[in-house]
């Protein structure tokens, strides 16, 4: 998140730019329906004259079924104010939960216990106690909060009892079964050691703005909490090997990156080398980012790593990585070659198109259901931008790119795939099918503004199929990989709610099928190492898959 003025040229906003493509009817893929569907949340950074580092980073979101009715609710993280004595009542400090009723959202009365009032940045979702409902972990500047779900969408703050109230400056987090014992551990990404006493005044082109993390020289260690299976966690950061490195972490993804059957963790760091924590068993990890080719880009540069997307973009059976960065820095697309990663940013068409804006949230998902992953990036500056909008000097349009048959990404116009270009300081980004019509929708958190609820309006979408993959306890099977034959192609999709930036997405596994009407030879490789076969399925609906019900 190092600061520099955005590159000149707004090709994205001009129909006919090189590399751009129209998609759907008149290029419209999404329509913002947040207000129409009942979302009245307004994010507050708390900026009041002095630029305080955490103020530029908030806007976390989650798409998650908290009440067990099989549709996606929305959780929005509020920041509020960094001034503890500001209790005038004019600053909204409460996170908000909106319950989904047939595609319309109603604010949970009294917050249902999920209205944490810390200075919020992000959220992770996962059933840590294996009781079949989804719990929430909120990352704050200041103590983080674990909220236990009672199954009906009512939450209890169990932070103290569970032992996961990291008191630092946390950004991303993920629940993952890192020791293969069938419960979810918790990995927390921390940024820098910061407080009012170390804040500085920084200028770019003579304009006072937020400082880069390098000005503080105070990176933090991330934390790993081992799930004890009884509702409590043990801080295993030192024993696991994480204390061997510091970082300025912003993005995280967990997957079996080296194919050894154990879940690994990738952390994107801001102006420092990234970390790839490879799991060696027994909850021991070794950082092999430099050895595997994901610590820096192909030029040896450590970029301003923010959001992360991890998916099998080339259908070869392993998980690739996409890290988004600051304006004037390209995205970094790391193609998994098995024993190492190759920087394929230019080969996939992102070397030029990704440079114009500062990207935070990012998802790889098949929005048009043609069987190829598309790319959506949530943009917003950290220094005054050329696209200032309605008094927001950091505002930038978001970016949508369509996956093509030759393995590249091509821009969709109008910008962001909406009829009217939306311009705000976007941060958190979550993906999921909000109205269960087979098209993937998006929720975008915007700093000092209302969020977007982008409903999928791609015309002539292809067929689709979805799998809700659960363990024997009923929880979402984080880290499991579903594989299926889609026509002549074997495709692989993971249960991966984490990723993007300070966000949690729908854990259900979605396949776009183009013109295919079924999938065959469906298998699931579970995070605990076993693989099961489940046969063939018809398109056009969501199927439950439960661990142990298939054929080994």
């Amino acid at each position: 998140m190092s600061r520099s003025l955005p590159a000149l040229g707004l090709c994205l906003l001009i129909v006919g730019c090189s590399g751009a493509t129209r998609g759907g009817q008149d290029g419209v893929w999404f329509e913002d329906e947040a207000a129409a569907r009942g979302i009245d949340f307004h994010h507050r950074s708390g900026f009041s004259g002095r630029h305080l580092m955490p103020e530029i980073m908030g806007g976390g979101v989650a798409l998650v079924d908290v009440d067990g009715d099989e549709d996606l609710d929305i959780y929005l993280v509020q920041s509020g104010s960094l001034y503890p004595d500001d209790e005038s009542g004019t600053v909204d400090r409460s996170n908000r939960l909106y319950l989904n009723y047939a595609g319309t959202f109603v604010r949970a009365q009294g917050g249902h216990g999920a209205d944490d009032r810390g200075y919020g940045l992000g959220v992770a979702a996962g059933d840590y106690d294996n009781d079949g409902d989804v719990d929430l972990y909120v990352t704050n500047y200041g103590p983080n909060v674990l909220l236990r779900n009672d199954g009906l969408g009512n939450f209890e703050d169990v932070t103290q009892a569970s032992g996961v109230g990291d008191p630092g400056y946390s950004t991303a987090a993920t629940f993952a079964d890192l020791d293969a014992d069938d419960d979810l551990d918790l990995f927390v990404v921390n940024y820098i050691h910061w407080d009012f006493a170390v804040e500085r005044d920084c200028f770019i082109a003579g304009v006072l703005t937020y400082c880069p993390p390098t000005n503080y020289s105070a990176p933090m260690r991330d934390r790993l909490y081992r799930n004890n299976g009884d509702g409590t966690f043990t801080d295993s950061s030192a024993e696991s090997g994480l204390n061997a490195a510091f970082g300025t972490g912003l993005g995280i993804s967990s997957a079996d990156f080296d194919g050894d059957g154990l879940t690994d963790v990738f952390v994107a760091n801001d102006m420092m080398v990234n970390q790839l924590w490879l799991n060696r068993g027994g909850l021991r990890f070794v950082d092999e980012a430099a050895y595997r080719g994901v610590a820096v880009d192909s030029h040896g540069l450590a970029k301003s790593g923010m959001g992360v997307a991890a998916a099998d973009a080339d259908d070869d059976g392993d998980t690739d990585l996409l890290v988004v960065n600051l304006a004037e820095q390209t995205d970094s697309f790391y193609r998994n070659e098995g024993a190492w990663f190759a920087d394929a940013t230019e080969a996939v068409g992102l070397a030029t198109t990704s440079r114009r804006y500062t990207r935070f949230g990012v998802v790889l998902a098949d929005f048009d259901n043609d069987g190829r992953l598309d790319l959506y990036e949530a943009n917003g500056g950290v220094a005054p931008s050329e696209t200032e909008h309605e008094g927001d000097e950091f505002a930038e349009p978001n970016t949508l790119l369509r996956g093509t048959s030759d393995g590249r990404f091509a821009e969709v116009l109008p910008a962001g795939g909406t009829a009217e270009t939306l311009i705000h300081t976007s941060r958190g980004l979550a993906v999921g099918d909000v109205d269960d019509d087979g098209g993937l929708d998006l929720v975008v958190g915007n700093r000092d503004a209302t969020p977007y609820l982008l409903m999928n309006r791609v015309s002539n979408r292809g067929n689709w199929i979805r799998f809700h993959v659960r363990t024997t306890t009923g929880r979402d099977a984080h880290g499991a990989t579903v594989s299926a034959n889609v026509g002549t192609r074997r495709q692989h999709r993971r249960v991966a709610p984490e990723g993007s930036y300070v966000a949690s997405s729908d854990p259900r596994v979605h396949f776009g099928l183009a013109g295919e009407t079924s999938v065959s030879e469906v298998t699931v490789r579970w995070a605990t190492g076993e693989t099961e076969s489940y046969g063939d399925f018809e398109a056009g609906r969501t199927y439950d898959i439960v661990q142990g019900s298939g054929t080994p």
Side-chain angles (χ1 to χ4, degrees):
M1 205 170 62
S2 175
R3 291 17 176 203
S4 62
L5 289 175
L8 294 174
L10 299 179
C11 175
L12 184 69
L13 300 176
I14 305 171
V15 175
C17 284
S18 175
T21 180
R22 288 202 167 278
Q25 185 176 0
D26 297 325
V28 174
W29 287 43
F30 299 104
E31 182 177 355
D32 180 20
E33 299 182 12
R37 291 180 180 262
I39 305 298
D40 58 357
F41 176 82
H42 194 289
H43 177 266
R44 306 288 183 187
S45 70
F47 174 73
S48 60
R50 187 182 184 194
H51 292 79
L52 305 176
M53 167 61 86
E55 295 172 347
I56 197 62
M57 301 174 70
V61 300
L63 276 170
V64 55
D65 179 13
V66 300
D67 51 5
D69 62 356
E70 299 296 328
D71 57 24
L72 295 173
D73 309 300
I74 296 176
Y75 188 71
L76 298 167
V77 178
Q78 183 62 280
S79 297
S81 174
L82 287 162
Y83 297 93
D85 57 347
D86 185 356
E87 296 293 346
S88 63
T90 60
V91 178
D92 184 0
R93 296 175 180 268
S94 301
N95 300 346
R96 285 196 192 176
L97 173 64
Y98 291 86
L99 301 176
N100 187 343
Y101 295 97
T104 297
F105 292 87
V106 177
R107 182 180 178 183
Q109 293 299 313
H112 280 207
D115 52 344
D116 180 55
R117 292 171 58 83
Y119 193 88
L121 295 174
V123 58
D127 180 8
Y128 81 93
D129 53 359
N130 276 349
D131 64 352
D133 52 53
V134 183
D135 311 298
L136 299 173
Y137 185 76
V138 180
T139 58
N140 293 319
Y141 168 71
N144 298 336
V145 174
L146 179 61
L147 302 172
R148 184 180 183 273
N149 191 347
D150 70 353
L152 299 175
N154 302 298
F155 291 86
E156 177 188 4
D157 185 342
V158 294
T159 309
Q160 184 172 358
S162 63
V164 293
D166 190 327
Y169 182 170
S170 301
T171 51
T174 186
F175 287 100
D177 186 2
L178 298 175
D179 52 4
D181 65 349
D182 209 24
D183 56 28
L184 296 176
D185 309 298
L186 178 63
F187 194 110
V188 179
V189 175
N190 288 317
Y191 191 53
I192 60 173
H193 293 279
W194 180 92
D195 59 28
F196 285 83
V198 302
E199 190 54 274
R200 306 179 180 190
D201 291 335
C202 291
F203 296 83
I204 294 179
V207 177
L208 182 65
T209 188
Y210 295 94
C211 295
T214 49
N215 278 35
Y216 304 95
S217 299
M220 297 187 73
R221 288 190 175 102
D222 299 332
R223 290 202 179 186
L224 172 58
Y225 296 97
R226 177 176 57 82
N227 193 330
N228 298 322
D230 59 0
T232 68
F233 291 79
T234 298
D235 187 342
S236 300
S237 307
E239 298 88 340
S240 67
L242 264 63
N243 280 2
F246 293 88
T248 47
L250 293 178
I252 188 172
S253 186
S254 61
D256 180 9
F257 292 109
D258 58 356
D260 66 352
L262 299 171
T263 301
D264 312 304
V265 177
F266 175 83
V267 177
N269 286 310
D270 186 359
M271 298 304 294
M272 294 183 67
V273 294
N274 302 320
Q275 293 155 350
L276 178 61
W277 295 104
L278 293 184
N279 194 334
R280 296 309 184 205
L283 216 63
R284 295 283 302 174
F285 292 83
V286 177
D287 178 16
E288 292 195 6
Y291 176 74
R292 302 272 175 166
V294 294
V296 294
D297 70 4
S298 59
H299 301 287
L301 299 176
K303 294 178 180 175
S304 303
M306 296 167 187
V308 178
D312 183 8
D314 51 4
D315 294 331
D316 66 349
D318 50 31
T319 303
D320 309 300
L321 278 165
L322 174 63
V323 183
V324 295
N325 301 293
L326 185 76
E328 296 186 355
Q329 298 175 351
T330 69
D331 290 343
S332 292
F333 185 90
Y334 298 109
R335 177 177 289 140
N336 194 332
E337 302 291 357
W340 71 90
F341 290 79
D343 188 336
T345 308
E346 183 174 356
V348 299
L350 296 176
T352 301
T353 58
S354 62
R355 293 172 57 91
R356 284 163 299 208
Y357 305 119
T358 293
R359 293 86 63 204
F360 276 82
V362 55
V363 296
L364 286 164
D366 188 356
F367 298 115
D368 55 0
N369 288 343
D370 67 348
R372 293 183 291 270
L373 295 178
D374 309 303
L375 171 61
Y376 189 95
E377 298 182 338
N379 305 328
V382 292
S385 76
E386 296 174 346
T387 51
E388 178 180 339
H389 181 70
E390 296 180 351
D392 183 355
E393 62 182 347
F394 306 104
E396 295 178 339
N398 294 339
T399 308
L400 171 65
L401 300 102
R402 178 176 61 86
T404 66
S405 59
D406 61 356
R408 296 171 63 85
F409 296 98
E411 285 183 58
V412 173
L413 297 174
T418 54
E420 179 181 353
T421 300
L422 304 174
I423 308 177
H424 285 90
T425 305
S426 296
R427 292 293 184 254
L429 172 65
V431 60
D433 188 355
V434 167
D435 54 359
D436 282 321
D437 67 348
L440 292 174
D441 312 301
L442 294 166
V443 176
V444 183
N446 294 314
R447 176 185 183 266
D448 285 330
T450 56
Y452 305 143
L453 174 55
L454 300 179
M455 303 303 296
N456 191 317
R457 296 292 178 252
V458 177
S459 63
N460 301 316
R461 286 196 306 255
N463 293 329
W464 61 279
I465 195 169
R466 190 173 297 134
F467 297 100
H468 198 168
V469 187
R470 309 177 199 245
T471 67
T472 54
T473 63
R475 70 165 173 83
D476 296 310
H478 293 222
T481 298
V482 181
S483 301
N485 292 335
V486 181
T488 60
R489 298 162 64 197
R490 185 75 173 164
Q491 296 193 4
H492 314 271
R493 301 285 184 263
R494 293 184 305 115
V495 180
E498 92 288 344
S500 187
Y501 172 74
V502 297
S504 183
S505 293
D506 184 358
R508 296 176 298 179
V509 174
H510 179 97
F511 289 83
L513 306 182
E516 300 296 329
T517 58
S518 65
V519 298
S520 63
E521 298 183 29
V522 172
T523 62
V524 177
R525 183 184 185 191
W526 303 94
T528 49
E530 303 90 354
T531 298
E532 292 182 281
S533 176
Y534 290 87
D536 306 339
F537 295 85
E538 298 298 315
R541 57 171 288 196
T542 300
Y543 296 88
D544 283 325
I545 288 183
V546 179
Q547 188 174 15
S549 64
T551 302

